[in-house]
Amino acid sequence: MKRSNLPLEFGAEPMDIEIGPSHPAMHGITRLSTRLDGEVVTAVEVEIGYLHRGFEKECENSTYVQVIPYTDRLNYVSPILNNIGYSLAVEKLFGLDVPKRAQYARVILGELSRISDHLTCNGAMGMEVGAMTVFLWYVKAREYLWELTEEVTGARLTHNWTRFGGNANDLPDTFFDMLEERLKKVEAVLEEGVKMLFKNKIFLDRVKDVGVLSRERAIEYGFTGPMLRATGEPYDLRRAEPYLVYNELDFEIPVGTVGDSYDRFLVRHEEMLQSISIIRQAVAKIPKGGHYQHDRRAWLPDKTEVYGSIEGLIDHFKVIMEGSTPPKGEVYQAIEGGNGELGFYLVSDGTGKPYKCRVRPPCFNFVSALPEMLIGHYVGDIVPIYGSINMIGGELER
Amino acid sequence: MQTAKKPSVKTVQRQGGFLIDLYLPAIIGGLRITLRHFFRNVITQSDVVTISYPEQKRRISPRWRGRHRLTVREDGFIKCVACYMCETVCPAKCIHIEAGEMPDKSVEKYPVVFDIDELRCVFCGLCVEACPKDAIRMDTGIYSMASTERVTFDYTRNMLMDAHAKTDKTKFPSTPLPLTQEEALPQSTAKLAG
Amino acid sequence: MDMILDILTIPLVQAVIKILVFVLGFVMAVGTVLTLMERKWMSAVQDRIGPNRANIGKFTGHGALHIAADGVKSLLKEDTVPAGADRFLYLIAPLFSYFPAILVWAVIPFAGPIGSVTFQITDINTGLVFIFAVTSLGVYGAVLGGYASNNKYALLGAIRTSSQMLSYEVFLGLSLIGIFMVYGTVQVSKIVELQNTYWFDGLIPKWGIFTQPLAFFLFFTGMLAEAKRQPFDQPEGESEIIAGYYLEYSGARFSAYMLAEYVSIVAVSAITVTLFFGGYQIPWLFPDGFHLLGYSLALPPVVVALLQAGSFITKTLIFCWLIIIIRWTLPRFRFDQTMDLGWKKMLPLSMANLVVTALVLLLTA
Ligand code: SF4
Ligand code: SF4
């Protein structure tokens, strides 16, 4: 260590400290090699890869439908959004149309997962600055939503819900019965969060002007999602490159002004409220109809056909033995995930397995900008800034 | 490709000002909420959302994907025809089937060995979807299979049929193949090792 | 019988009995129970049930057995010493944070005197100064522990502790000077007695909170910082430097640190009650009974003493509870913000408080 490289006050010696991977706030999956001058961070090196599971390579050895359960494990706080993104990509490859009802159902469940994603992130931000209670309330609210998705998909987290041409099953009546009550409860929890944190100077001091990244730098880093919107850029894939039925729904895109942790917090909070309103609109508009449109290349026919007709049975066997066989080609399909642009790039060589499946994770860009956001801040700010980028190891390292 | 709609943008409101700089109003406001929760939960426990797990169980969705079971025909014989669909579609490769032949013309082919390694299973439900005979289901509602030994997660055919087998054991007299866990296990562990 | 009474009149014997009763019977007991109650209360705030699983057969006592379970567990755990640690300092450091929190109790009165028997371990005439001297010793436990652990996180925690405690002592002292001025003494028993005098014909008691309201807020804030409680707990900031200075400790020594934290909560509450909430006093209760607006109710001295002790204990417990609820309500400051708050806001405020107090005293004298 060369001392002359660093600005020294009172001859303090810089201290190198490893934050993570076994540090409670680093989720066990990131290491920040940090150099401190007193309490001030002067250099950071981010090391990732502790959760690399070879997702993309594994996809090449699986049939298209076998990838869907894997995508549940990408962003594990909003799994349905990953399901939707991947299925949309495959459907684009096939050129499939999804029934309207299924699209609405995807919007409803997708927005529920977006809320649960933001609840986790904002709650965790509260926890990183010591407001443990708010975190637990938010987790409680998230549980309400997970019970809703469980009602539809049959699992709390590993949903495996979308299929090529629709969804695995329809929204049941019990779901609609529970929905409004649950949304009200979530709104009440959010309201309590507002009262606990939004006017509390201790909290504001911790997040204001911390981890600032300008709009230009954010765009250069390739930021998307709430992180980009916090810098003031109203870029939202639901509007910029509309998919599903978002064009038929009204919502506002919240943007920040400064681009600090505080703006990110507020943007996420506002997005949750917007998502709740989107869900209400979608529930009012959802048409009757099927939840799944069969295409014999893509996925299974209806069970009555399988049991009742030899053609159905042959289709069934064929699509399972060979896998879904899209035409040769390549597609890129991105959706607005919990963290930003969640893109799937698929190459098909006409066989039943993807030739290449590449995921564009939104938070990779955030983590690469981490050093720039951290340097010059105090040790105590590392964790709140790190919390505000909502790094999800599953999608970052795949 | 849909056309992009013009977004309506809303700028979030940043808080600040003299009242906030005083600290106290927000602290008192926060205390009011925490105290409300405190007293409600101390006096009536009305807000408590935790469940005391082993004694109390959560309501699970009727669609809940729990432990598998193998269904049986009306005459009590296993429905599965050993078509290998579920084994093929399983992303975790945790189903192991060995087909056998039956002289009985109404059966012909049936699974001699049908093991599911529930430790590898990711509970995706694709096997249920892929079965053309409605022979495998995940509607048992069993989600807790905790054990300290790996071997207990190797569910053999008969364990998967247990709901039926418990009541109707006499219906299997002609089955010429292993029916106990010990007899079936060597095959599943051999598969794991291989 | 007579001999026993004779022995009981020896001051040393009296002191030993008081120490046993007050410290073991009250302080340690409350501190230990608080370790459980904090978890119970916080779960009530957070809509949870809290610990309730420790059991003997069917009996769980709503979680009361966790106290025993935790104690046994921490005693049975390995007491590790990290490589490169300063072994001697590392091993004795927990005691340094433990004793100051207990020593404070030497000057806290539990009830008014009955004749020559006082309910205070020792009534030194520089009581308040003693409290200060002792609480500032608490910093050594943290600093030594953090320094001796040979761990960078622990070192950061130790540095934060020392600077925070040293800074906050300054205005803590200044905020109390107002109390000295109003009551004209630093003897704790006198201060408590004087809080039983009244304005408006015996209507409103001259409690510290009424004579020095601003000083109360300053003092209470400073005391939270001294006890390293949220919102001033960045020496332990669990999300950034994990547990700060006691990061490396395990087993019994770890629980000594934990217990010290809870004992100091009790101490902080007791000091606050003594100085600002009339100590053991109950409004309108005098050594011979209640007097209010000409009505009176005579009571024997023993009953009065019991009532007073009850009032002191109740008030202390209420403050313990408040400190814990505050922790689960507020986020924590950043380290530099703590310093800012201390030096740039609290210090000028306590100075202003002094000036105003002095002026008021001058004008009303
Ligand atoms: S649920 Fe999924 S992982 Fe489990 S056995 Fe069925 S297909 Fe395989
Ligand atoms: S898919 Fe159904 S019938 Fe075929 S092997 Fe599996 S369980 Fe048996």
Side-chain angles (χ1 to χ4, degrees):
Chain A
M1 174 194 319
K2 276 204 213 99
R3 265 195 224 175
S4 52
N5 288 348
L6 289 154
L8 294 179
E9 259 179 60
F10 310 117
E13 202 175 316
M15 175 160 87
D16 285 342
I17 191 165
E18 298 292 336
I19 302 185
S22 55
H23 178 289
M26 292 293 142
H27 316 198
I29 45 179
T30 321
R31 185 168 113 189
L32 306 179
S33 299
T34 316
R35 176 163 295 181
L36 302 180
D37 177 14
E39 284 256 345
V40 180
V41 179
T42 58
V44 188
E45 205 175 299
V46 186
E47 191 178 319
I48 63 168
Y50 293 90
L51 200 62
H52 177 66
R53 332 184 274 298
F55 170 83
E56 290 172 2
K57 193 70 196 165
E58 191 67 17
C59 292
E60 294 167 18
N61 295 319
S62 312
T63 59
Y64 281 91
V65 82
Q66 285 177 342
V67 174
I68 300 179
Y70 295 157
T71 61
D72 284 332
R73 281 101 177 142
L74 286 176
N75 184 340
Y76 38 70
V77 282
S78 52
I80 285 197
L81 286 170
N82 311 323
N83 280 187
I84 294 172
Y86 174 73
S87 292
L88 282 175
V90 177
E91 279 152 11
K92 202 169 174 182
L93 206 50
F94 275 111
L96 281 182
D97 268 338
V98 181
K100 264 269 146 47
R101 185 176 174 86
Q103 296 199 22
Y104 271 100
R106 284 182 183 183
V107 166
I108 295 173
L109 257 62
E111 293 304 321
L112 283 178
S113 340
R114 188 184 319 281
I115 303 174
S116 81
D117 185 288
H118 290 354
L119 275 174
T120 318
C121 177
N122 273 5
M125 256 178 94
M127 178 179 67
E128 323 279 32
V129 299
M132 186 78 184
T133 303
V134 177
F135 173 69
L136 285 166
W137 286 345
Y138 276 18
V139 167
K140 173 183 78 179
R142 189 176 76 168
E143 194 59 40
Y144 296 145
L145 301 180
W146 281 0
E147 278 173 15
L148 276 178
T149 41
E150 178 200 316
E151 199 65 25
V152 181
T153 65
R156 294 170 74 244
L157 202 59
T158 52
H159 304 298
N160 182 27
W161 180 60
T162 58
R163 297 287 181 273
F164 314 133
N167 303 323
N169 43 32
D170 200 5
L171 302 180
D173 290 342
T174 43
F175 173 81
F176 292 107
D177 297 344
M178 287 156 76
L179 182 68
E180 189 50 41
E181 177 220 342
R182 295 294 162 102
L183 290 182
K184 286 234 171 66
K185 276 187 180 170
V186 171
E187 278 174 330
V189 172
L190 286 176
E191 189 50 39
E192 280 180 336
V194 168
K195 284 189 189 142
M196 290 282 282
L197 293 180
F198 276 49
K199 290 201 160 57
N200 193 329
K201 181 134 187 341
I202 305 176
F203 177 73
L204 297 184
D205 279 350
R206 289 302 301 270
V207 291
K208 261 188 193 171
D209 302 318
V210 159
V212 183
L213 205 68
S214 69
R215 186 168 167 164
E216 289 71 37
R217 287 302 282 159
I219 293 174
E220 279 167 22
Y221 270 114
F223 275 28
T224 45
M227 289 285 284
L228 177 64
R229 293 195 280 277
T231 65
E233 177 68 40
Y235 177 76
D236 187 324
L237 278 170
R238 290 175 290 178
R239 281 285 181 252
E241 283 174 34
Y243 54 95
L244 294 176
V245 287
Y246 280 108
N247 266 347
E248 297 167 25
L249 302 162
D250 287 327
F251 60 94
E252 287 174 322
I253 299 177
V255 293
T257 42
V258 182
D260 52 3
S261 296
Y262 184 42
D263 270 338
R264 286 167 213 147
F265 184 86
L266 291 176
V267 164
R268 288 209 174 89
H269 183 83
E270 183 58 35
E271 268 182 30
M272 286 191 262
L273 300 179
Q274 295 294 342
S275 291
I276 291 179
S277 114
I278 293 178
I279 293 169
R280 292 209 168 112
Q281 294 171 37
V283 168
K285 280 190 178 167
I286 189 166
K288 292 256 173 315
H291 62 274
Y292 174 68
Q293 180 66 47
H294 172 227
D295 181 304
R296 61 161 45 132
R297 295 165 304 161
W299 187 232
L300 305 175
D302 192 59
K303 274 281 173 324
T304 49
E305 261 179 73
V306 178
Y307 298 154
S309 75
I310 192 73
E311 291 82 9
L313 197 62
I314 289 174
D315 281 351
H316 183 103
F317 271 54
K318 200 162 146 45
V319 86
I320 287 178
M321 297 312 291
E322 290 177 2
S324 323
T325 45
K328 274 189 185 162
E330 51 190 89
V331 288
Y332 177 73
Q333 170 71 45
I335 65 158
E336 181 71 24
N339 269 335
E341 176 169 345
L342 174 70
F344 287 88
Y345 172 69
L346 288 173
V347 182
S348 156
D349 58 356
T351 63
K353 292 172 180 174
Y355 180 75
K356 173 75 189 162
C357 172
R358 151 96 183 129
V359 180
R360 182 218 182 268
C363 57
F364 186 79
N365 308 55
F366 308 158
V367 174
S368 50
L370 204 49
E372 190 167 328
M373 289 192 262
L374 288 179
I375 288 174
H377 284 300
Y378 289 93
V379 182
D381 285 332
I382 294 179
V383 175
I385 293 176
Y386 183 79
S388 79
I389 69 173
N390 194 18
M391 193 217 77
I392 305 289
E395 74 176 8
L396 172 72
E397 292 158 15
R398 305 183 300 291
Chain B
M1 197 67 207
Q2 305 174 27
T3 47
K5 206 171 152 186
K6 195 175 166 356
S8 49
V9 177
K10 175 180 185 183
T11 310
V12 291
Q13 215 55 49
R14 289 167 76 89
Q15 304 276 351
F18 178 70
L19 263 184
I20 285 176
D21 283 346
L22 279 183
Y23 289 102
L24 273 186
I27 293 178
I28 291 167
L31 273 178
R32 258 184 49 201
I33 301 182
T34 39
L35 288 185
R36 199 172 66 216
H37 277 270
F38 179 84
F39 284 114
R40 262 202 243 154
N41 289 334
V42 164
I43 296 165
T44 61
Q45 299 222 325
S46 60
D47 280 359
V48 168
V49 289
T50 348
I51 41 176
S52 298
Y53 168 58
E55 300 96 57
Q56 238 178 330
K57 293 233 162 70
R58 196 169 73 89
R59 172 195 173 271
I60 56 171
S61 135
R63 293 183 179 177
W64 180 270
R65 296 198 293 267
R67 209 199 78 191
H68 307 72
R69 73 185 173 100
L70 291 175
T71 54
V72 291
R73 303 192 309 198
E74 259 156 35
D75 66 3
F77 200 78
I78 190 162
K79 258 193 187 174
C80 174
V81 294
C83 70
Y84 291 89
M85 285 295 107
C86 50
E87 186 177 322
T88 314
V89 84
C90 176
K93 318 243 182 311
C94 62
I95 305 182
H96 173 67
I97 303 172
E98 278 170 29
E101 236 177 300
M102 270 298 253
D104 183 349
K105 277 283 171 265
S106 78
V107 180
E108 288 188 18
K109 197 178 169 198
Y110 80 106
V112 178
V113 176
F114 194 115
D115 286 350
I116 299 184
D117 182 353
E118 300 278 5
L119 265 188
R120 288 189 66 140
C121 176
V122 296
F123 295 89
C124 63
L126 285 178
C127 49
V128 180
E129 242 178 281
C131 180
K133 295 292 286 180
D134 189 22
I136 184 165
R137 289 199 195 168
M138 295 177 80
D139 57 1
T140 51
I142 300 173
Y143 49 81
S144 149
M145 286 164 273
S147 166
T148 48
E149 285 186 46
R150 262 163 197 279
V151 92
T152 36
F153 293 95
D154 261 322
Y155 280 78
T156 59
R157 183 192 63 195
N158 290 52
M159 292 161 78
L160 291 166
M161 290 167 62
D162 56 3
H164 182 84
K166 251 178 223 142
T167 50
D168 259 6
K169 267 224 166 63
T170 49
K171 293 235 167 153
F172 294 94
S174 59
T175 317
L177 285 150
L179 274 172
T180 63
Q181 190 188 0
E182 294 77 63
E183 281 174 276
L185 268 180
Q187 314 202 22
S188 55
T189 39
K191 179 213 150 203
L192 276 179
Chain C
M1 194 64 207
D2 280 353
M3 207 177 84
I4 293 176
L5 281 181
D6 278 349
I7 292 176
L8 278 180
T9 51
I10 304 172
L12 188 65
V13 174
Q14 278 186 2
V16 168
I17 292 175
K18 284 180 204 163
I19 290 174
L20 286 180
V21 173
F22 295 163
V23 173
L24 281 184
F26 179 70
V27 183
M28 296 299 296
V30 173
T32 318
V33 171
L34 273 187
T35 58
L36 175 71
M37 287 331 276
E38 164 140 39
R39 284 179 280 163
K40 276 293 202 191
W41 289 338
M42 107 184 161
S43 39
V45 167
Q46 295 162 348
D47 293 348
R48 299 187 286 115
I49 298 175
N52 63 354
R53 291 283 140 169
N55 60 347
I56 298 173
K58 283 251 176 302
F59 176 74
T60 61
H62 290 281
L65 287 178
H66 276 271
I67 298 173
D70 291 344
V72 172
K73 181 178 133 188
S74 73
L75 286 178
L76 293 181
K77 283 226 163 165
E78 186 188 354
D79 187 9
T80 53
V81 182
D86 186 326
R87 205 184 156 81
F88 176 68
L89 287 183
Y90 180 85
L91 293 180
I92 60 163
L95 300 182
F96 276 96
S97 69
Y98 199 64
F99 283 128
I102 292 196
L103 273 181
V104 169
W105 292 89
V107 293
I108 304 272
F110 274 70
I114 305 178
S116 67
V117 183
T118 62
F119 296 96
Q120 187 180 9
I121 293 171
T122 166
D123 189 16
I124 48 180
N125 51 14
T126 53
L128 267 187
V129 183
F130 173 80
I131 290 180
F132 271 114
V134 165
T135 44
S136 36
L137 283 179
V139 74
Y140 285 107
V143 170
L144 289 180
Y147 161 76
S149 303
N150 185 30
N151 179 312
K152 289 171 180 172
Y153 288 105
L155 189 63
L156 275 178
I159 295 170
R160 287 180 178 191
T161 316
S162 56
S163 46
Q164 172 176 324
M165 290 181 80
L166 293 181
S167 322
Y168 272 60
E169 250 151 43
V170 176
F171 78 79
L172 208 56
L174 280 178
S175 67
L176 278 193
I177 292 186
I179 291 277
F180 306 162
M181 284 156 73
V182 171
Y183 298 113
T185 173
V186 287
Q187 195 170 353
V188 179
S189 58
K190 285 268 166 52
I191 292 180
V192 175
E193 249 165 58
L194 285 172
Q195 295 192 51
N196 205 20
T197 54
Y198 294 83
W199 285 304
F200 310 121
D201 274 345
L203 207 58
I204 296 179
K206 282 188 183 171
W207 282 7
I209 174 86
F210 300 126
T211 54
Q212 288 279 301
L214 183 59
F216 164 69
F217 281 107
L218 298 172
F219 178 80
F220 192 59
T221 319
M223 269 311 201
L224 282 181
E226 288 281 304
K228 301 185 280 292
R229 288 297 291 187
Q230 208 126 322
F232 303 101
D233 70 339
Q234 54 294 104
E236 299 158 16
E238 64 239 34
S239 66
E240 9 180 311
I241 54 171
I242 308 164
Y245 54 88
Y246 62 85
L247 167 65
E248 290 283 359
Y249 283 88
S250 65
R253 275 166 229 282
F254 171 79
S255 25
Y257 268 122
M258 285 309 272
L259 202 56
E261 189 177 326
Y262 288 100
V263 170
S264 57
I265 291 177
V266 190
V268 167
S269 314
I271 298 170
T272 314
V273 166
T274 308
L275 297 179
F276 290 95
F277 284 84
Y280 53 77
Q281 304 286 9
I282 301 176
W284 314 296
L285 178 68
F286 295 89
D288 56 347
F290 280 105
H291 293 278
L292 177 64
L293 298 172
Y295 299 99
S296 58
L297 172 72
L299 290 170
V302 178
V303 174
V304 170
L306 279 178
L307 279 177
Q308 285 173 337
S311 122
F312 174 77
I313 290 171
T314 317
K315 287 179 199 167
T316 309
L317 291 182
I318 287 177
F319 265 92
C320 294
W321 172 78
L322 189 66
I323 291 174
I324 284 173
I325 296 289
I326 285 179
R327 167 160 188 197
W328 299 107
T329 306
L330 295 183
R332 78 171 72 84
F333 286 101
R334 197 170 63 208
F335 176 64
D336 61 310
Q337 289 162 352
T338 315
M339 293 293 130
D340 272 6
L341 184 77
W343 290 105
K344 294 190 188 154
K345 302 210 173 93
M346 297 306 212
L347 191 64
L349 271 178
S350 47
M351 300 264 201
N353 183 47
L354 275 191
V355 174
V356 173
T357 312
L359 280 180
V360 171
L361 284 180
L362 198 68
L363 293 178
T364 55

